[in-house]
Amino acid sequence: MDTADLGLPVDVPSTALFTDQYELTMLQAALAGGTAERRSVFEVFTRRLPDGRRYGVVAGTGRVLDAVENFRFDAGVLGFLRANKIVDEPTLEWLAGYRFGGDIWGYPEGEVYFPGSPVLRVEGSFAECVLLETVILSILNHDSAIAAAASRMAAAAGDRPLIEMGARRTHELAAVAASRAAYIGGFATTSDLAAGFRYGIPTVGTSAHAFTLLHDRERDAFRAQVDSLGRGTTLLVDTYDVAEAVRAAVEVAGPELGAVRIDSGDLLLVAHRVRQQLDELGATETKIVVTSDLDEYAIASLAAAPVDAYGVGTQLVTGSGHPTSSMVYKLVARAGSADPKAPLEPVAKKSSGGKVSVGGRKWAARRLDEYGVAEAEVIGTGAVPPELAERRLLVELVKGGQVIARESLDVVRDRHAAARASLPLSATQLSRGEPVLPTEYV
């Protein structure tokens, strides 16, 4: 079930204050100076991928659409701005009627991106577009970082399912967003019930060490869990002695035991020993789930182990060392006057230190080689070459202020799997390297 449009309690009534103060002070100055209504184009992009990453993953687009719809300055928000003298009365009057009425184009959620890719393009008056900068970047930078980490972990895991279990390692609302991004990147389930409630992501979970420690004997804990949850449950076997726990688990649940979970120790060695013991006890169909501070490198190191599923927490919700995607929101074109027919003029910041931007309203396309494998990210501001016309990446998300492109998470998840599969094989290598596709400007 897709519950993204139900307005559930994990949301906030308004996203208008998820912004930086200078967005509002720029608005005030532009209103006073007569430039606020100039038609403008802002683009979201990153100048570089995190060190060692071969591709990025677009995630958070659906949440951006929700945030834009909920960007409203109600009485409480206006009262706060007035009481703290953030902006003047004319600006407050303008904000009271704010509704984004422009257009938004972007890479479809789940698609991959590279340095310079215009992953989102926001068009409208300067006033209505500039206010959205912070909330858009907040969502895309976080969610895309988590999805990229999830994608690398999914590639390392192969056909083995991944369980997202990082809620206790991050802010409670960030945990819900992280679970959503992880599902896009290839995770199969989450332990976070709020994510299941909000986004319909399948949820899983059985017991922790505390449940075993509650009982006088480990066997008593296993019996209570099996009696309550059935023989198909997952029993945690590393509270005391793993071999003794596995023996007790099979004796209690029988060979129909669903799975055992290992949360500590040398996972490669222990997994092999547990598999052998389970087979000897007749529990040949009992699966092995491993957890314990896993990341994509640890998952890859267990490829030869008899492991059936991985549970990942801390490293996932922190982006596996890269908690942001370093995306920016830059004005790339604007009209010379407030006349709706005034032509757009390219603009760009000139700067040293790697912060140079490319002006102009851009399109993007992905060129394929003769085998159908992606070979370049092509970005331009003029006419699209005919050979790339069918390979354009940006799609319309918002038209005249109305969201027109909401999708279910399963569609987005499938899109990412297909996008990753279309890249050269080196994209999924965990060794450090440059982006797997070059960015070409035409």
Side-chain angles (χ1 to χ4, degrees):
M1 179 180 66
D2 183 10
T3 58
D5 60 348
L6 297 183
L8 298 172
V10 291
D11 286 332
V12 293
S14 168
T15 53
L17 291 184
F18 288 171
T19 192
D20 292 307
Q21 181 167 315
Y22 76 172
E23 314 291 7
L24 300 187
T25 52
M26 281 193 289
L27 169 66
Q28 176 177 307
L31 289 170
T35 54
E37 295 305 317
R38 287 188 177 187
R39 190 159 59 99
S40 300
V41 179
F42 287 82
E43 288 176 352
V44 176
F45 62 93
T46 185
R47 297 184 177 95
R48 64 191 66 85
L49 297 179
D51 186 34
R53 295 288 169 87
R54 304 295 182 91
Y55 61 93
V57 181
V58 179
T61 308
R63 297 206 309 119
V64 166
L65 299 180
D66 292 340
V68 171
E69 283 192 329
N70 291 324
F71 207 91
R72 304 284 187 269
F73 293 83
D74 57 25
V77 170
L78 293 170
F80 165 79
L81 297 175
R82 180 177 289 109
N84 288 277
K85 297 181 172 56
I86 305 297
V87 290
D88 59 20
E89 283 300 322
T91 305
L92 290 171
E93 291 177 10
W94 189 91
L95 291 173
Y98 178 83
R99 300 290 187 275
F100 179 73
D103 302 329
I104 299 178
W105 291 68
Y107 278 38
E109 190 166 19
E111 184 57 85
V112 296
Y113 70 87
F114 299 91
S117 298
V119 299
L120 201 74
R121 190 174 71 220
V122 182
E123 305 182 28
S125 70
F126 176 84
E128 64 184 334
C129 295
V130 74
L131 294 181
L132 299 177
E133 174 181 2
T134 303
V135 70
I136 286 176
L137 289 179
S138 176
I139 293 170
L140 292 181
N141 269 315
H142 173 269
D143 290 21
S144 296
I146 305 305
S151 178
R152 284 162 59 86
M153 293 173 187
D159 294 332
R160 299 172 179 177
L162 291 158
I163 307 163
E164 185 279 310
M165 36 197 318
R168 65 192 62 196
R169 302 298 189 217
T170 188
H171 184 280
E172 64 271 20
L173 296 185
V176 181
S179 181
R180 181 185 184 278
Y183 190 69
I184 292 170
F187 275 59
T189 54
T190 180
S191 66
D192 191 333
L193 290 176
F197 182 55
R198 178 71 177 87
Y199 295 114
I201 300 170
T203 60
V204 295
T206 51
S207 67
H209 292 104
F211 186 74
T212 300
L213 295 170
L214 170 68
H215 294 78
D216 296 332
R217 298 187 308 161
E218 188 171 45
R219 181 181 298 269
D220 295 337
F222 290 168
R223 171 59 64 192
Q225 184 174 327
V226 170
D227 287 348
S228 178
L229 302 179
R231 296 176 185 273
T233 191
T234 299
L235 295 177
L236 182 58
V237 295
D238 72 326
T239 305
Y240 304 118
D241 180 86
V242 173
E244 288 297 323
V246 171
R247 183 176 298 107
V250 176
E251 289 175 357
V252 168
E256 298 84 10
L257 174 62
V260 295
R261 178 163 73 95
I262 307 166
D263 189 50
S264 60
D266 183 336
L267 296 178
L268 179 62
L269 175 63
V270 176
H272 277 287
R273 288 178 175 174
V274 168
R275 181 73 270 159
Q276 180 179 352
Q277 186 180 10
L278 287 170
D279 292 346
E280 290 173 350
L281 293 170
T284 57
E285 299 301 316
T286 299
K287 299 184 183 304
I288 297 175
V289 180
V290 295
T291 53
S292 185
D293 292 327
L294 299 178
D295 60 11
E296 59 265 49
Y297 301 100
I299 291 169
S301 74
L302 292 168
V307 171
D308 297 286
Y310 306 93
V312 189
T314 303
Q315 292 301 317
L316 174 67
V317 300
T318 56
S320 195
H322 298 290
T324 180
S325 304
S326 299
M327 292 181 181
V328 294
Y329 183 96
K330 296 298 181 183
L331 181 66
V332 296
R334 51 85 175 166
S337 72
D339 184 347
K341 297 181 180 180
L344 289 171
E345 303 171 7
V347 294
K349 173 184 177 181
K350 293 183 178 179
S351 174
S352 60
K355 285 194 171 185
V356 175
S357 301
V358 177
R361 181 180 186 272
K362 300 175 194 66
W363 53 264
R366 190 160 299 146
R367 191 172 69 239
L368 307 182
D369 65 15
E370 60 183 309
Y371 302 104
V373 178
E375 67 176 8
E377 193 87 339
V378 185
I379 299 170
T381 57
V384 181
E387 66 273 16
L388 293 176
E390 299 301 318
R391 301 297 307 167
R392 286 179 288 184
L393 291 163
L394 279 79
V395 298
E396 196 166 19
L397 303 170
V398 176
K399 184 175 183 177
Q402 299 299 311
V403 174
I404 61 172
R406 276 202 172 87
E407 300 177 301
S408 75
L409 274 185
D410 286 329
V411 169
V412 174
R413 190 169 185 266
D414 290 345
R415 176 182 295 122
H416 174 63
R420 188 177 65 202
S422 73
L423 298 175
L425 289 176
S426 58
T428 57
Q429 291 178 347
L430 297 181
S431 57
R432 293 185 179 276
E434 296 300 313
V436 71
L437 296 188
T439 301
E440 299 178 1
Y441 290 94
V442 297

